[in-house]
Amino acid sequence: MPVPPQLVPHPTQLTLLPGRFTFDAATALTIAPGAEGAAELLRTLLRPATGLRLPSRSDGPVVLALDPALTGLGDEGYGLTVGPEGVLLRAARPRGLLAGVQTLRQLLPVQALHDEPVRGVEWSVPCVQITDVPRFSWRGAMLDVARHFRPVSFLRRYVDLLALHKLNVLHLHLTDDQGWRMPVAARPRLTEIGGLPHGGAYTRSELAGLVRHAAERGITVVPEIEMPGHARAVLAAYPELGNRPDRALGVWDRWGVCDTVLGVHDEVLDFCREVLDEVLDVFPSPHVHIGGEECPTAEWHASPVARRRVAEQGLDGPDALHGWFMEQVGRHLLDAGRRPLGWTETGADLPPYFTVMPWRDTAHGRTAARRGHQVVMAPHRSTYLDYPQSASPHEPPGQPGAVVDLRAVHGTDPAPAHWSPAETARVLGTQAQLWTEYVPTAAHAEYLAFPRLCALAETAWTGRRDWAGFQARLRHHRTRLDTLRVPRRLSPTSVQGEESP
Ligand code: ACM
């Protein structure tokens, strides 16, 4: 019996058939209208190792076709039929074709993933019949580029790795107490001051290029600008936006939650809207994240300006300024045609039109869904990739916390079976978080991300909990990650890239 292809994530339905199809120098593509992007992606991905040009021809044996009548495939599903004489990839929408391209790539010998020419390999794929539709529409990875900056070359490679696993959201945590990485023309000091610690800042054209690169791979880049807490880098640049404008602050140079938060005077709201308007220009994503978590309110309790705001708005007290603040800024995003997104700490702390990411307890996801929120599950016990992957003493030093092993990531259902259909329907999906306080190097980031992102992709795409099957497929999939030079281990230098403050 031939061995079935070892695909990650596993397709919804896969039938292995006898025979193989071989790509060679003469293989041409038949590209139906709307399939041009998928054809270009296939060429881009296969050319470095295989040298295949895959020209377009009206009777090419590899057919890429869009058929809007295939509504059962949704936005991202696809059908793939490989026979000895040809390949037929079909989808209702372009993103489905992009997902199918990644499957074709995994069906090829693993050497097809090399970034340099490989000789002496037959570029053949097994004959199969695949129908594949994701369970969840949000299959994401959050990367914190505020604590440790990563250049855009790293992000483009990260996007490529996400796309291989059919993950479709890169959530970029662009600002925090310890750094500000988002260029804002109207506010240059944000990146002049806030971009200094641990790296630098992006340019607008770098980010626009990243957004394009990601879209060509079916990935949406979702920006996050933190407020009203996690804002010390803003206040180092513009102290007048704080609760004590007389006080000169540096960018926060320690890890952990900082008491300093934005003020609640009109200038602050104008500032947030001004920054977000530039963010919206660069990032076309339907959702825009405005943080919202870990917001100590001691400064508001002490501030006459904040207490005046409480009285004027008829709020219960300074603690209620958090929800009020998120509402002011969330409305601005709604008015601009976007959906505000925030971290939730209870499931009930944000206006109901926010899409929320419950990061503390899984139960908060259900609370939020009952309140009518759309939910992206991000519980720390199973999706925080900065936590160690095992209790082994050989794990590199990192974020102190519970172990999040592969099985925990794989085994956590974003919408558990005992939730009601209405609650489940509000779960858009799930994502993994890579906070980088303790992750100073690119190698360390990739080491922490993989293979746990493979498990998240499996959970979010197939919705199946076949742990034994996943482990077996992962053994082969590891050779793909090796070929892509994703580190299985870390050398001492890749851990100690830089001193943590
Ligand atoms: C978080 O862990 N600060 C959402």
Side-chain angles (χ1 to χ4, degrees):
M1 270 296 282
V3 182
Q6 308 291 300
L7 302 175
V8 176
H10 195 276
T12 319
Q13 283 173 26
L14 179 152
T15 309
L16 185 63
L17 304 167
R20 301 185 72 82
F21 175 82
T22 301
F23 288 83
D24 62 26
T27 304
L29 307 181
T30 300
I31 307 166
E36 298 83 0
E40 206 39 51
L41 181 64
L42 186 63
R43 289 173 178 141
T44 301
L45 293 175
L46 297 192
R47 192 165 305 154
T50 68
L52 293 168
R53 288 184 44 251
L54 303 173
S56 163
R57 225 176 51 208
S58 60
D59 62 347
V62 177
V63 178
L64 307 178
L66 266 191
D67 182 352
L70 299 169
T71 49
L73 295 177
D75 278 350
E76 297 182 283
Y78 65 94
L80 177 65
T81 306
V82 178
E85 306 299 330
V87 173
L88 172 61
L89 174 59
R90 297 195 306 163
R93 313 269 307 148
R95 279 194 167 195
L97 293 177
L98 299 177
V101 164
Q102 297 293 346
T103 298
L104 208 43
R105 190 178 177 214
Q106 289 198 17
L107 288 172
L108 280 158
V110 78
Q111 294 93 330
L113 295 164
H114 266 294
D115 55 7
E116 290 184 354
V118 180
R119 313 219 181 274
V121 175
E122 185 188 83
W123 302 115
S124 74
V125 292
C127 294
V128 286
Q129 173 75 57
I130 291 175
T131 305
D132 202 7
V133 182
R135 175 166 176 220
F136 291 107
S137 64
W138 190 296
R139 307 177 303 280
M142 187 285 290
L143 181 67
D144 169 10
V145 291
R147 270 52 173 274
H148 280 99
F149 181 70
R150 297 257 74 85
V152 85
S153 55
F154 176 92
L155 300 184
R156 291 167 79 97
R157 173 176 155 85
Y158 207 62
V159 160
D160 292 348
L161 290 168
L162 300 184
L164 174 68
H165 297 87
K166 300 186 177 71
L167 294 167
N168 66 353
V169 173
L170 172 63
H171 163 181
L172 277 185
H173 184 79
L174 286 160
T175 75
D176 214 299
D177 292 317
Q178 297 88 354
W180 181 287
R181 315 300 176 189
M182 171 74 206
V184 180
R187 297 285 187 161
R189 284 169 61 81
L190 287 171
T191 44
E192 286 164 16
I193 307 287
L196 288 177
H198 309 294
Y202 301 109
T203 66
R204 222 178 134 96
S205 76
E206 281 179 328
L207 291 174
L210 175 71
V211 166
R212 256 194 324 276
H213 180 84
E216 287 162 6
R217 286 149 183 78
I219 292 179
T220 303
V221 185
V222 172
E224 179 184 355
I225 305 294
E226 273 275 16
M227 60 190 74
H230 289 270
R232 172 92 169 223
V234 178
L235 298 176
Y238 297 102
E240 65 272 24
L241 300 174
N243 294 288
R244 290 185 41 201
D246 53 306
R247 179 180 52 173
L249 292 172
V251 177
W252 184 241
D253 61 0
R254 276 173 278 159
W255 305 136
V257 179
C258 159
D259 271 353
T260 317
V261 302
L262 293 174
V264 292
H265 40 299
D266 290 344
E267 291 73 14
V268 178
L269 298 172
D270 290 344
F271 164 84
C272 292
R273 295 178 189 124
E274 183 179 27
V275 165
L276 286 172
D277 286 345
E278 292 206 28
V279 168
L280 300 187
D281 268 357
V282 175
F283 296 96
S285 57
H287 289 85
V288 173
H289 205 306
I290 53 172
E293 89 284 23
E294 294 177 323
C295 176
T297 55
E299 287 193 353
W300 291 340
H301 280 268
S303 153
V305 176
R307 288 204 306 270
R308 265 202 307 280
R309 183 67 94 181
V310 168
E312 162 210 310
Q313 293 295 319
L315 301 175
D316 277 348
D319 292 350
L321 285 167
H322 172 265
W324 173 84
F325 192 108
M326 297 303 279
E327 164 85 23
Q328 303 310 304
V329 183
R331 284 272 166 217
H332 183 68
L333 291 174
L334 272 191
D335 291 346
R338 308 293 182 98
R339 286 203 82 117
L341 181 56
W343 301 106
T344 180
E345 302 190 323
T346 61
D349 48 357
L350 290 172
Y353 56 82
F354 271 66
T355 300
V356 296
M357 292 183 172
W359 66 277
R360 284 193 167 148
D361 201 299
T362 308
H364 298 152
R366 194 173 192 194
T367 306
R370 284 181 174 164
R371 262 185 112 221
H373 288 287
Q374 294 207 304
V375 178
V376 176
M377 293 299 285
H380 69 108
R381 286 186 199 86
S382 58
T383 69
Y384 271 33
L385 305 186
D386 50 321
Y387 290 2
Q389 20 201 342
S390 80
S392 153
H394 302 299
E395 278 300 328
Q399 175 77 38
V403 168
V404 172
D405 62 15
L406 197 59
R407 188 158 195 172
V409 181
H410 184 268
T412 303
D413 191 337
H418 61 277
W419 292 16
S420 76
E423 290 156 7
T424 298
R426 297 212 173 94
V427 179
L428 299 182
T430 183
Q431 68 171 35
Q433 327 332 302
L434 186 44
W435 302 104
T436 59
E437 289 94 326
Y438 301 92
V439 188
T441 70
H444 196 172
E446 289 189 3
Y447 168 81
L448 291 171
F450 294 97
R452 287 181 291 183
L453 276 179
C454 311
L456 187 101
E458 179 94 355
T459 294
W461 180 281
T462 73
R464 290 212 290 201
R465 303 250 122 40
D466 173 13
W467 171 240
F470 172 69
Q471 281 180 297
R473 278 177 288 114
L474 188 62
R475 267 195 288 285
H476 178 71
H477 189 71
R478 283 268 196 180
T479 65
R480 296 189 184 110
L481 297 178
D482 292 344
T483 306
L484 292 163
R485 301 197 187 89
V486 176
R488 280 192 195 222
R489 270 169 230 93
L490 286 184
S491 64
T493 49
S494 50
V495 183
Q496 300 154 4
E498 157 187 332
E499 282 279 300
S500 290

